[in-house]
């Protein structure tokens, strides 16, 4: 079988710099992990070993251990391998991910960089809002134990159509068939089931469902959204939606050969009746959190209310969920927090100072790149400011077509020019920001 992409090679995976970067990336949020510490004791030797095994194609994924874990309100069986294998998996995904990213269906999310729950919520809500004056019907369905019923041969053929190199195919085959005669739940014939818990698997399964997305999208009157194996179909008539449901069930049975939950109901979305999808309830004009999550927040708030430090850590994640939907009133009701507006305090406008005595320009922050090739006015600046990215930064106050904003820079060229212009009493002045790329670094300058 000839693959579409013939540029991606196994040599790119076992390139030493790529493997070293994979080791660094795979250690994020794993400080103190036994496998990480063991690997780092002989870091260079392990990197060389990985490169050699991949080059000679003697590498074999270690036998996974299965762990039952309760997460996202259900018990899941995870396949766990040695940390050594995690480095190899990261090295592979660093090479093939850019190709996979160009192939994903636009309205799909999960295990795609920049496409999480927030991405999906925004897209579903936007589509409903654009059609708020029409009758909207929705149906939500998902697969039964999705990962454990994936047909390995079909998944492998799908990735082979994308990648032509036999080395890449060899490594992907090793990962897809890593469970052997086990489907992740129990012993099997070795034809179905992939390892939930192996780093590449979620992305590969998401890529595997691309054909399903496009098949459903081709049905007239149907709009499809997918968060991994959770599929939401929206239509403007129950008849169109029913055709979509029947098509999903037939495709799952005859093409994917995977069981799908058959209790898919059709619901009308109104201002008072919503559709539950990925833990959010979508109505016409607004989005709410699910009742299950609401009660979970209340339980956590009650559990940790006497331990303020632990309370902040736990509740911060829930606030992040609520602030991206219509949930801040619920947050206020649960936590008893006041709004800033309740105090009737007027914030000082213009320039104020922070705790270090540096002036703080109380305007919108923008990136320097967003102001390039524009005619702007530099009104003022503040030198030697501390930021999370380091010290010695300069904040610049800008007037962009009548709107005040600021940007932060550490460019020696810009800082030197600003200092010299200030000594000559040249503020404010009109300019345009340009940049050159030198050694893969953008060098900004005034023109």
């Amino acid at each position: 079988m000839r693959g579409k992409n013939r540029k991606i090679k196994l040599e790119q995976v076992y390139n030493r710099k790529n493997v070293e970067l994979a080791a660094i990336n795979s250690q994020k949020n794993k400080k103190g992990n036994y496998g990480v510490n063991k690997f780092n004791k002989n870091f260079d030797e392990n990197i060389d070993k990985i490169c050699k095994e991949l080059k000679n194609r003697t590498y074999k994924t270690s036998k996974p251990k299965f762990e039952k874990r309760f997460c996202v309100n259900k018990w899941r069986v995870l396949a766990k391998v040695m940390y050594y294998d995690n480095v190899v998996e990261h090295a592979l995904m660093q090479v093939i991910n850019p190709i996979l990213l160009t192939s994903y269906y636009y309205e799909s999310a999960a295990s795609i960089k920049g496409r999480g729950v927030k991405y999906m919520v925004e897209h579903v809500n936007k589509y409903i809002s654009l059609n708020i004056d029409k009758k909207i019907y929705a149906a939500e369905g998902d697969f039964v134990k999705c990962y454990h019923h994936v047909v390995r041969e079909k998944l492998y053929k799908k990735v082979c159509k994308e990648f032509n190199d036999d080395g890449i195919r060899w490594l992907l085959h090793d990962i897809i068939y890593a469970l052997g005669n086990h489907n992740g739940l129990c012993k099997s014939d070795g034809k179905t089931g992939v390892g939930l818990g192996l780093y590449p698997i979620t992305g590969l399964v998401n890529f595997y469902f691309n054909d399903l997305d496009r098949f459903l999208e081709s049905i007239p009157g149907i709009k499809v959204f997918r968060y991994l194996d959770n599929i939401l179909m929206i239509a403007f008539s129950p008849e169109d939606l029913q055709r979509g449901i029947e098509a999903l069930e037939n495709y799952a049975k005859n093409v994917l050969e995977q069981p799908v939950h058959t209790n898919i109901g059709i619901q009308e979305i109104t201002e008072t009746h919503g559709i539950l999808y990925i833990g959010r309830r979508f109505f016409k004009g607004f989005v709410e959190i699910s009742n299950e999550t609401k009660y979970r927040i209340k339980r956590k708030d009650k559990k940790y209310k006497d331990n303020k430090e632990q309370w902040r850590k736990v509740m911060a994640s829930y606030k992040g969920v609520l602030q991206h939907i219509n949930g801040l009133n619920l947050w206020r009701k649960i936590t008893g927090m006041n709004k800033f507006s309740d105090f009737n305090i007027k914030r000082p406008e213009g320039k104020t100072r922070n705790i270090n005595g540096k002036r703080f320009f109380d305007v919108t922050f923008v990136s320097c790149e967003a102001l390039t090739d524009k005619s702007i006015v530099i009104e003022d600046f503040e030198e030697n400011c501390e930021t999370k990215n380091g010290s010695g930064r300069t904040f610049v106050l800008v007037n962009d077509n009548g709107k005040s904003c600021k940007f932060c820079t550490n460019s020696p060229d810009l800082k030197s020019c600003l200092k010299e212009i200030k000594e000559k009493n040249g503020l404010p002045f009109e300019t345009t920001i340009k940049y050159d790329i030198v050694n893969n670094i953008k060098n900004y300058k005034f023109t």
Side-chain angles (χ1 to χ4, degrees):
M1 183 189 299
R2 190 176 184 182
K4 184 168 64 175
N5 189 293
R6 294 182 290 278
K7 293 182 179 179
I8 300 300
K9 304 286 185 181
L10 184 63
E11 289 83 351
Q12 296 170 256
V13 179
Y14 64 73
N15 178 279
R16 184 178 176 85
K17 288 185 178 180
N18 182 62
V19 177
E20 287 178 348
L21 181 61
I24 294 169
N25 290 337
S26 62
Q27 292 182 18
K28 290 179 180 178
N29 302 320
K30 292 182 181 178
K31 188 177 181 181
N33 182 284
Y34 172 76
V36 173
N37 293 338
K38 184 179 179 181
F39 186 90
N40 288 342
K41 282 182 180 178
N42 300 293
F43 185 85
D44 290 332
E45 291 84 348
N46 284 323
I47 295 295
D48 290 335
K49 184 180 178 183
I50 289 173
C51 294
K52 184 177 179 180
E53 287 184 352
L54 291 177
K55 183 177 181 178
N56 298 330
R57 302 191 189 183
T58 56
Y59 169 78
K60 179 71 176 174
T61 302
S62 61
K63 187 176 180 180
K65 294 181 179 179
F66 299 100
E67 179 182 302
K68 196 174 183 181
R69 187 179 298 177
F70 188 79
C71 52
V72 196
N73 303 320
K74 63 173 71 174
W75 286 100
R76 300 177 187 272
V77 180
L78 304 181
K80 302 188 71 176
V81 293
M82 295 172 60
Y83 172 71
Y84 183 90
D85 300 294
N86 290 340
V87 178
V88 176
E89 292 166 356
H90 274 77
L92 170 65
M93 294 306 288
Q94 284 173 177
V95 173
I96 70 172
N97 243 338
I99 307 303
L100 296 180
L101 284 171
T102 62
S103 305
Y104 289 122
Y105 172 60
Y106 182 67
E107 303 292 6
S108 64
S111 297
I112 305 174
K113 188 175 182 180
R115 297 199 206 173
V117 174
K118 181 186 172 186
Y119 175 93
M120 185 54 61
V121 170
E122 288 177 347
H123 280 241
V124 174
N125 189 40
K126 181 180 179 180
Y127 186 76
I128 294 173
S129 299
L130 289 172
N131 299 282
I132 199 167
D133 57 334
K134 302 176 183 177
K135 279 195 173 185
I136 303 175
Y137 298 88
E140 190 268 341
D142 64 333
F143 289 86
V144 178
K145 297 294 182 183
C146 172
Y147 290 96
H148 311 297
H149 291 103
V150 170
V151 180
R152 296 175 188 174
E153 185 181 1
K154 291 180 179 291
L155 174 57
Y156 179 64
K157 284 183 177 179
K158 171 71 175 175
V159 295
C160 284
K161 287 181 181 178
E162 190 67 29
F163 300 104
N164 191 67
D165 183 65
D166 61 341
I168 294 291
R169 290 178 175 182
W170 160 75
L171 188 52
L172 286 169
H173 184 278
D174 182 73
I175 293 169
I176 292 170
Y177 285 81
L179 299 190
N181 294 325
H182 203 286
N183 65 6
L185 292 174
C186 59
K187 289 188 176 181
S188 68
D189 57 4
K191 294 181 179 179
T192 60
V194 289
L196 175 59
L198 303 184
Y199 177 60
I201 287 300
T202 309
L204 292 177
V205 171
N206 204 328
F207 172 70
Y208 174 58
F209 283 138
N210 275 346
D211 292 339
L212 171 62
D213 299 329
R214 289 174 171 82
F215 170 73
L216 294 176
E217 187 74 18
S218 67
I219 300 171
I222 299 292
K223 179 66 177 178
V224 181
F225 300 90
R226 181 175 59 79
Y227 190 85
L228 201 61
D229 67 318
N230 294 281
I231 300 168
L232 177 68
M233 291 180 286
I234 297 178
F236 303 124
S237 73
E239 294 77 19
D240 287 342
L241 203 53
Q242 186 60 45
R243 284 199 300 272
I245 294 171
E246 292 172 358
L248 170 61
E249 292 174 345
N250 290 332
Y251 193 94
K253 180 181 179 181
N254 301 321
V255 180
L256 297 177
E257 298 180 33
Q258 283 187 248
V260 65
H261 288 108
T262 55
N263 57 339
I264 304 175
I266 297 175
Q267 302 180 51
E268 183 179 358
I269 300 177
T270 65
E271 291 80 1
T272 56
H273 187 274
I275 181 77
L276 183 62
Y277 181 61
I278 56 172
R280 313 293 187 273
R281 194 173 292 278
F282 295 88
F283 298 83
K284 276 189 174 181
F286 64 99
V287 186
E288 286 185 350
I289 204 75
S290 67
N291 288 335
E292 190 175 357
T293 306
K294 189 187 300 182
Y295 297 141
R296 194 183 314 127
I297 296 173
K298 290 181 178 180
R299 288 196 299 270
K300 295 288 186 181
D301 178 58
K302 186 177 180 180
K303 181 178 179 180
Y304 296 109
K305 65 179 180 180
D306 295 328
N307 187 340
K308 289 296 181 183
E309 184 176 350
Q310 187 66 25
W311 181 89
R312 288 192 190 95
K313 291 179 181 179
V314 173
M315 300 301 285
S317 60
Y318 290 119
K319 186 179 181 182
V321 171
L322 294 172
Q323 69 183 4
H324 296 302
I325 60 172
N326 302 93
L328 291 182
N329 282 335
L330 173 63
W331 170 262
R332 187 183 179 196
K333 183 178 179 180
I334 293 173
T335 63
M337 260 184 201
N338 294 308
K339 288 183 178 179
F340 178 78
S341 57
D342 293 341
F343 298 103
N344 295 318
I345 298 174
K346 293 184 178 180
R347 295 183 66 182
E349 297 180 357
K351 306 165 190 175
T352 58
R353 294 186 181 271
N354 61 21
I355 57 174
N356 297 320
K358 295 293 181 180
R359 287 180 300 161
F360 175 77
F361 303 124
D362 190 17
V363 292
T364 304
F365 182 86
V366 298
S367 66
C368 188
E369 186 175 5
L371 297 173
T372 55
D373 298 323
K374 286 185 177 182
S375 178
I376 58 175
V377 176
I378 305 296
E379 295 185 340
D380 207 346
F381 65 93
E382 185 71 11
E383 299 177 283
N384 300 319
C385 297
E386 294 278 347
T387 70
K388 65 179 181 180
N389 296 319
S391 59
R393 266 56 176 181
T394 297
F395 280 91
V396 184
L397 180 64
V398 176
N399 187 309
D400 177 18
N401 197 24
K403 295 181 180 179
S404 293
C405 57
K406 65 181 177 183
F407 70 88
C408 180
T409 183
N410 198 35
S411 167
D413 194 349
L414 293 188
K415 288 159 65 174
S416 175
C417 289
L418 287 169
K419 190 173 181 179
E420 187 174 346
I421 290 171
K422 187 175 182 180
E423 290 174 354
K424 296 180 179 180
N425 297 319
L427 293 172
F429 65 94
E430 187 176 350
T431 185
T432 301
I433 298 178
K434 303 279 187 181
Y435 69 82
D436 299 321
I437 298 179
V438 181
N439 296 327
N440 293 325
I441 298 175
K442 290 181 179 179
N443 180 38
Y444 293 93
K445 59 184 179 181
F446 295 127
T447 58

